[in-house]
Amino acid sequence: MLKDPFGRKIDYVRWSVTDRCNLRCTYCMPEEKMQFVDRKDLLSFEEMEQMLRVFEHVGIRKIRFTGGEPFMRKDIMRFFERVAASETIQEWHITSNGTLLRPHLKNLKKLGVSGINISLDTLSADRFEKMTKRNQFEEVQSCIQDILDLDIPLKINTVVQAKANFDELKALALLSKTQPIDLRFIEYMPFNGSDEEGRDFVSAQDILNELEKHFTLTPLQQKHGATSQDYSVEGFMGKIGVIAAHTRSFCGTCNRLRISAKGNTQVCLYGIENQSLGRLIKTNTTDQQLIEMLHQLIAKKPKNGFDAEAEMLRQTGAHKSMSAIGG
Ligand code: SAM
Ligand code: SF4
């Protein structure tokens, strides 16, 4: 079992299986000249299998697959078959932009995927194109409908920005009134802290205040390790959640480890990417060596995101794109 210096059990992995993406969400990556990882440096299918085996061994019970866009990987469904066959992974989820997913939904349902999160920041096709630099709004809408038709648990993630979509919170929340969709509003994480980015930031409290103008929200008990504070709304089929991604009010119960497409680890979203595991797995290493490395890395997990960020800025002076970290 993995335990950090603060006694927190680490049993949840967020795994970015590729840094590639077919969209260019303005808050996540630049429209042009995005520097992607060299293909040879991405984990191969076999290396991913070994990593999974090691995770099973150290007591990981839940995995969320993210990216980049997970379905940019041609072998991802084959890998999900391996995950579904695991006797120890109890839950596996996917976070996707919903543009490449539809052809795989029936198989994912058969494999028993625990749930799918789709990112959707607007209900306007024009805005969608502005925000993602691609014209894929209709495809995402169809994907959402197909997930509902297949009865796969669905969450919609919305990153809230002052200018881009704050005026749509009510309309987005209403999606969960008549359909079993959990809506989660995420605080935008301004990466370089420039004035321009700072002006677009909306705090979790402001998101909540805006929602409360339209709905009566009843707070629900927060699940262990959850980043989202969820609320029920009378008469709604789904829940509404707010994730204080930038304010970071959830670090105390953190149970997660992040792994990048190169196999590098990040013991905290706000901290430094550590290359030791990624380098090691590329050297035909044994499972035992990887297990030992994981224990060493978790032993350095910081107490919270503020400590982690301060250390990262001290060492590197910069933040990274979410597509590399996986959100
Ligand atoms: N491509 C997939 C998607 O968009 O769902 C998975 C990867 S994406 C990096 C994972 C999550 O991170 C998405 O919900 C996205 O909205 C969120 N995200 C990306 N950049 C962000 C930022 N600057 N602040 C807050 N959330 C962000
Ligand atoms: Fe791609 Fe997801 Fe980043 Fe948008 S948020 S650019 S869909 S990785």
Side-chain angles (χ1 to χ4, degrees):
M1 192 215 287
L2 294 174
K3 238 186 186 177
D4 80 0
F6 307 95
R8 295 172 296 197
K9 184 171 141 195
I10 310 303
D11 58 4
Y12 172 24
V13 163
R14 286 184 68 105
W15 192 339
S16 172
V17 290
T18 176
D19 63 338
R20 270 84 170 150
C21 190
N22 56 334
L23 301 188
R24 290 290 179 275
C25 303
T26 48
Y27 50 67
C28 182
M29 56 171 93
E31 187 174 2
E32 281 166 33
K33 297 194 180 143
M34 176 70 188
Q35 293 275 325
F36 291 111
V37 167
D38 250 20
R39 202 162 286 275
K40 66 169 179 19
D41 293 331
L42 296 174
L43 292 191
S44 67
F45 184 85
E46 291 70 25
E47 287 158 352
M48 282 176 51
E49 269 196 315
Q50 184 179 19
M51 198 64 98
L52 179 65
R53 211 162 53 230
V54 166
F55 287 152
E56 290 172 327
H57 187 90
V58 297
I60 300 300
R61 296 291 172 259
K62 174 176 171 185
I63 305 181
R64 173 169 299 284
F65 295 98
T66 172
E69 173 50 37
F71 292 89
M72 291 291 279
R73 264 195 92 117
K74 298 282 174 279
D75 56 1
I76 199 65
M77 285 305 289
R78 190 156 68 95
F79 187 63
F80 287 152
E81 284 170 25
R82 167 68 184 83
V83 176
S86 169
E87 287 179 6
T88 55
I89 302 298
Q90 292 161 359
E91 283 184 45
W92 57 283
H93 301 252
I94 300 168
T95 299
S96 165
N97 63 28
T99 57
L100 306 168
L101 181 55
R102 261 204 309 159
H104 305 294
L105 282 173
K106 281 195 180 128
N107 278 341
L108 286 168
K109 171 77 181 177
K110 262 193 226 145
L111 291 175
V113 64
S114 309
I116 297 181
N117 288 9
I118 296 291
S119 300
L120 181 70
D121 300 325
T122 175
L123 295 171
S124 141
D126 286 348
R127 274 191 176 181
F128 182 94
E129 193 167 342
K130 252 199 197 147
M131 291 162 102
T132 67
K133 308 293 175 195
R134 301 288 185 270
N135 174 14
Q136 291 283 328
F137 180 75
E138 298 303 334
E139 179 60 30
V140 179
Q141 294 299 308
S142 305
C143 180
I144 288 172
Q145 192 53 53
D146 285 4
I147 295 173
L148 288 170
D149 291 346
L150 284 164
D151 219 8
I152 297 173
L154 169 65
K155 290 182 181 158
I156 290 184
N157 287 345
T158 300
V159 175
V160 180
Q161 289 179 285
K163 281 181 267 173
N165 62 356
F166 189 67
D167 57 351
E168 286 195 69
L169 296 200
K170 179 184 174 194
L172 283 157
L174 280 169
L175 291 178
S176 59
K177 184 171 185 184
T178 51
Q179 303 164 100
I181 301 176
D182 290 344
L183 240 296
R184 294 170 357 140
F185 295 105
I186 306 175
E187 264 182 359
Y188 160 55
M189 294 169 61
F191 273 118
N192 64 24
S194 70
D195 274 1
E196 193 44 43
E197 285 190 329
R199 271 199 292 274
D200 266 350
F201 177 74
V202 184
S203 72
Q205 189 56 52
D206 286 344
I207 296 172
L208 206 54
N209 293 345
E210 172 64 18
L211 290 169
E212 280 181 330
K213 284 185 195 158
H214 308 287
F215 312 107
T216 305
L217 305 176
T218 308
L220 298 167
Q221 176 84 32
Q222 216 165 342
K223 272 201 205 152
H224 181 79
T227 52
S228 171
Q229 173 59 60
D230 291 336
Y231 300 85
S232 64
V233 184
E234 204 173 297
F236 274 46
M237 292 180 80
K239 292 179 288 210
I240 308 279
V242 181
I243 302 184
H246 191 62
T247 313
R248 282 160 256 192
S249 42
F250 42 65
C251 297
T253 60
C254 184
N255 60 346
R256 64 194 63 199
L257 165 70
R258 289 186 155 76
I259 175 156
S260 77
K262 288 163 85 174
N264 294 341
T265 51
Q266 217 168 319
V267 289
C268 174
L269 171 61
Y270 307 91
I272 296 167
E273 178 175 317
N274 185 299
Q275 302 184 352
S276 316
L277 196 75
R279 285 202 187 117
L280 194 61
I281 200 168
K282 287 276 174 194
T283 59
N284 282 327
T285 190
T286 64
D287 289 7
Q288 194 50 42
Q289 282 172 306
L290 292 172
I291 290 166
E292 280 161 24
M293 176 62 73
L294 266 178
H295 280 284
Q296 284 172 30
L297 291 163
I298 295 296
K300 292 192 202 129
K301 189 168 163 74
K303 188 168 181 197
N304 58 46
F306 295 103
D307 289 2
E309 187 179 25
E311 180 60 18
M312 178 184 61
L313 290 175
R314 198 179 61 74
Q315 286 194 30
T316 69
H319 290 96
K320 286 185 68 176
S321 161
M322 272 291 178
S323 62
I325 306 167

